[in-house]
């Protein structure tokens, strides 16, 4: 069920897939992020790195009791401070969805699935 936004020009309906694509795209703009990961790790504990065409697969959008929560599964670059990268991703995603799109995001949760050497 899409989110309905009422503007002065009419109504806009935004689906969860659009929200997850926007969140994934905003996250990839952050320094220290190698890419998005699958939500489930493989058998041997190695996370699969997703390409730009699969941004929404590394993002989970949950709406419960009027709250909008976003879970991002990421892979960070080796040598960067994980807490700083995660904080930057949270800030960027919240900014894009709150201020640019007009959605109120309550929580952005970051799950680091791995560390890789950036190319």
């Amino acid at each position: 069920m899409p989110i309905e936004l009422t503007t002065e020009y009419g109504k806009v309906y935004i689906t969860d897939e659009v929200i997850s694509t926007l969140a994934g795209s905003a996250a990839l703009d952050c320094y220290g992020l190698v890419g998005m990961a699958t939500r489930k790790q493989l058998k041997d504990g190695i996370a699969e790195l997703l390409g730009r065409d699969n941004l929404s697969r590394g993002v989970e959008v949950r709406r419960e009791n009027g709250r909008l929560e976003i879970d991002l599964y990421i892979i960070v670059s080796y040598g960067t401070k994980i807490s700083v990268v995660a904080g930057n991703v949270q800030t960027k995603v919240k900014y894009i969805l709150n201020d640019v799109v007009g959605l109120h995001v309550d929580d952005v949760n970051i799950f680091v699935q791995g560390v890789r050497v950036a190319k």
Side-chain angles (χ1 to χ4, degrees), residues 3-5 14 16 19 61-70 90 93-108:
I3 295 175
E4 179 182 315
L5 296 176
I14 303 173
D16 289 349
I19 294 170
V61 178
R62 290 181 288 133
R63 291 185 281 158
E64 299 170 357
N65 301 326
R67 294 175 49 90
L68 178 61
E69 297 180 6
I70 297 175
Q90 286 175 321
V93 169
K94 262 193 134 170
Y95 168 75
I96 292 295
L97 292 177
N98 286 344
D99 295 343
V100 176
V101 178
L103 294 174
H104 176 69
V105 178
D106 295 298
D107 294 318
V108 177

Side-chain angles (χ1 to χ4, degrees), residues 22-84:
L22 287 171
S25 179
L28 280 182
D29 287 342
C30 294
Y31 175 77
L33 191 72
V34 174
M36 304 301 290
T38 56
R39 288 178 238 174
K40 296 179 177 116
Q41 287 184 328
L42 300 176
K43 290 183 261 185
D44 55 357
I46 298 173
E48 177 188 354
L49 184 64
L50 301 174
R52 272 208 170 282
D53 55 337
N54 293 327
L55 292 177
S56 62
R57 281 183 46 204
V59 181
E60 184 176 341
V61 178
R62 290 181 288 133
R63 291 185 281 158
E64 299 170 357
N65 301 326
R67 294 175 49 90
L68 178 61
E69 297 180 6
I70 297 175
D71 296 338
L72 289 150
Y73 297 84
I74 64 172
I75 298 175
V76 297
S77 176
Y78 178 80
T80 59
K81 195 168 185 178
I82 294 174
S83 61
V84 172

